[in-house]
Amino acid sequence: MALLTVEQLKIKFRAGNKYQQIVDGVDFSVRKGEVVCMVGESGCGKSVTALSLMRLHNMQFHKQKGCAQEGKILFHDVNLMSLSEKDMRKIRGNKMAMIFQDPLTALNPLFTVKYQMGEVLKRHLHMKKKEAYDFSASLLEKAGIRDVDRVMNAYPHTLSGGMRQRVMIAMALSCDPDLLIADEPTTALDVTVQMQILECIKSMQKRMNMAVLMITHDFGVVAEMADRVLVFYMGQIVEEADVFTLFSNPLHPYTKSLIGLVPNHREYKRQRLEPIKGCVSAIKETGEGCRFRDRCSYAGECFRKDNMPPLVKADMGHKVRCWQYETMPEGSESYGCHAEFI
Amino acid sequence: MGVTRNSSELLLKIENLTRNFPVGTPSPGKSKNVLAVDNLSLEIYQGETLGLVGESGCGKSTLALTIAGFLNPSQGKIYFEGKDLSSRKVRKSCRTEIQMVFQDSYSSLNPRKNIYSILAEPLRINRLATKKDVAEKVYKLLESVGLPRHYTGKYPGELSGGERQRVNIARAISLKPKLIVCDEPVSALDLSVQAQVLNLLADLQKEYNLTYLFIAHGLGNVQYISDRIAVMYLGGIVEIGTSEEIFTHALHPYTEAFLNASPVPDPKYRREIHNILCEEAADALKTVSGCKFYGRCQYASGHCKENVPKLRFVQEGNTSHACACFLYEKFLY
C-alpha cells in the first residue's frame, strides 16, 4: 500500500502572457518506510514537485492566478489538492514535514530555537509550554546535538550550518511524520557535515520507519541514501529504478551519461570527462517529441517520432522514457558521447 | 612527479606564509586573531595543476586571495618566478601574470557591462591591444572558450551559469597569464556543465601552457584535473602528493577521513562505519600547542599534543609523498 501516490501531476507557472509547463505529467508513489530520491539538474522541476506535495508553491501565486495545477496527490488516500487550506494546515508539519536546502532562511531569525520548535508542538500536539520544551530538547538530542540547552536558547544565526540543519530535522520530525520531504538538505554544507546530516536523517528514518522523499542533484548522496530513484529531466520522470539497478544498469541515455560524469574517488582514474552535449533548453523550445533528443547521441530515429516516448516498464520496478533503450549498449562506461561545447 | 622536479621549472614558491584576521572586539588586549593561513610553504611548478582541497574554513580561499594579491601576507614571502611579490613594484609588474577565476560567476562580472566591454577592458588598460584590433582579440577570446561571436552584445544576466563561467575564464586568459588561481570554479554549476568547464580548462592549459591552482571543497572534480593534490587543514597543508597517491595511498589520518566522508556514487560503497570527522567541527579559533588535528584524530598520542608535526617526505610501501604526521616518523627518509 502506497503512502503517497502522485498521478499525472502537471504544474504551470505564468511567464508573461503564457503559461510555462514546469512539471509535466509526473507519476510516482512512495511506500511506507521507503527512501525515494529525486535527481535531476537545476530547473528540471524536482523542487516544484516537492513543494506542490506540501502545497507550498501556490500560496503566493494563487491570488494572481500565476500557477495552474492538474492531477492528483493522494496521501493516506486523501487527495491533497482538493483539501481546504484549513485541513491542509493540519497535515503540513504534522504527518508530512519538510526540510529545506537553506536552513537559515527556513528558520525565523527573530525567535529562539525553543520557541520555534515549541510552536509546532503546541499547534499539532496541543502541548503545554513546559512539556513542549522537554520534548523539543529530547528531539534535539536525538538529532545529534550535544549542548542542547545552549542550542535551545540560541537564535538561528548563532548556530553553524550543520547545527541549523539538525534543528530543522528535529523540528520536522517533532510530530512523528509519515513522510519527510528533504529538498537538497546537504547542498549548502561541507562534505564532512554532509555526511553527518545524511547519517542523522538515515538513523531517524530507520528508528521511526518513516518514508523520505529526498531531492538532490548529487549522485553520491543518491547512492548513499536511496532505496528507489526517480530521474527528472525537463519536468518529466525519464527513469525510475531501485538504486542498485540504476547504478549498474541505467537505461536512459541521460542517466547513463550523468552517472558516467560523477567522479568516483574510490576507483581513481584520471581521464577526460565526456560531457553531455549542449545544455538544457527552455521547455517551450522543445517540440512534441522526446525532450532529450537534441542532446542524445542515439537520437537518430527519435527525430522522426513526433510524440513523447511513454514511461514504459523495462523490467521489474524499472521504468524508462526512451524510444530505443533496448537497442543501446549496456552500462554507463560504454556510453560514448563526444565532447562538444555550446 | 613532484619529488624530482628541478627548481628551474618552479613558478610560484610560498615560504612560511601566515595570514591572520582579527576577530571579536578590537579593544587592546582582548582582540583575538584567527590564523587563516598558518606558516604554510608550497611550491607550484610550471605547467602543472595543483588541486587544493579542505573543509570550509581551512583557509584555502585566503591562500588563493593572498597569492593573487587581494590580501597581503601577515608574515612570510611569496616568490613568483624567483621574484619577491612583497615589493609593490614587483607585484605590479606581475599583476597580469597571475589571474583568478571565482566560484560565483555572477558576482564576479559587472552586471551593467556587456560581454564585449568586460573582455575589452583589461586588454585596453594593459595596452595589449590597439583600438583597431581590440574587437578581433575579443572575438578570438570568446572563440577559445567556446562561445559564439554574438555573445559580445549580451549582459551577464542573460547568460547561464556555465556560459558566465566561460566569460570569466576568457577574461582570466585575456592577459596571457602564467598562473590562474581557480577558486572553486565549478562548484556552483550543474553536473553536465561542470564537465564541460573542466574540459575547457584542460584544453586551455595545453594551448597556452597555463599553470593552475585549483581549489575545491570536495574531492570529486579535483581528480580529473589535478597533477598534484594538497590537502589543507586549519591553515596548514597536511599532505601533498600526486593525485594518484592521494586517492589510492592516503597517509594522513585527516585525508583518510576526508576521503571516507565524501559520498561515493555507487551504492555498493555504502558506509556503515561512523566517521571520525563526525565528532567535532574544525575550530580555527582554538589555539593548540601540538598537531591541529589532535582532537579529532583516532591515532593521536601524547606526543601529538605537545609537538607540531612538520610536512616531510614519507616512504611507505610503494608510495612516497609529503605528509605532516608523527605516525610516519619511522618511515621518514
Side-chain angles (χ1 to χ4, degrees), chain B residues 287-301:
Chain B
T287 44
V288 278
S289 53
C291 175
K292 287 195 171 164
F293 193 52
Y294 173 75
R296 298 165 90 189
C297 182
Q298 54 182 334
Y299 308 107
S301 63

Side-chain angles (χ1 to χ4, degrees), chain B residues 14 17 31 42 48 50 63 66 79 85 117 140 150 156 159 191 204 237 245-246 256 266 281-282 305 307 317 319:
Chain B
I14 299 171
L17 181 75
S31 70
L42 183 70
E48 74 168 350
L50 177 69
L63 179 63
T66 317
Y79 297 97
L85 285 183
S117 26
K140 226 180 137 196
H150 66 87
L159 308 184
L191 196 57
L204 292 172
I237 285 171
E245 281 167 349
I246 299 289
E256 202 184 302
D266 195 338
K305 198 178 180 182
N307 304 291
T319 180

Side-chain angles (χ1 to χ4, degrees), chain B residues 207-218:
Chain B
E207 203 178 327
Y208 298 98
N209 189 25
L210 294 168
T211 308
Y212 290 138
L213 175 65
F214 190 92
I215 297 174
H217 64 255

Side-chain angles (χ1 to χ4, degrees), chain A residues 11-22 61 63-68:
Chain A
I11 300 166
K12 287 189 239 172
F13 284 136
R14 195 164 70 181
N17 295 325
K18 283 186 205 146
Y19 278 102
Q20 275 232 20
Q21 195 88 37
I22 304 297
F61 291 107
K63 280 174 197 138
Q64 306 119 22
K65 289 207 166 49
C67 170

Side-chain angles (χ1 to χ4, degrees), chain A residues 21-22 40-48 233-235 280-281 283, chain B residues 190:
Chain A
Q21 195 88 37
I22 304 297
E41 290 177 279
S42 40
C44 69
K46 50 191 193 321
S47 285
V48 175
Y233 186 73
M234 288 175 86
V280 186
S281 44
I283 291 181
Chain B
D190 259 336

Side-chain angles (χ1 to χ4, degrees), chain A residues 41-42 146 190 224 226 266, chain B residues 56 190 192 260 270-271:
Chain A
E41 290 177 279
S42 40
R146 261 179 275 162
D190 237 7
E224 189 81 9
R266 286 274 168 232
Chain B
S56 47
D190 259 336
S192 64
N260 277 332
R270 240 177 233 209
R271 337 161 253 226

Side-chain angles (χ1 to χ4, degrees), chain B residues 1 3 18 25 35 54 63 65 69 80 86 91 118 122 129 145 156 184 231 271-272 292 298 301 322:
Chain B
M1 205 160 41
V3 190
T18 300
T25 45
L35 284 167
L63 179 63
L65 293 172
F80 184 74
S86 57
R91 171 60 86 180
I118 286 171
V145 295
E184 312 207 14
V231 183
R271 337 161 253 226
E272 297 296 333
K292 287 195 171 164
Q298 54 182 334
S301 63

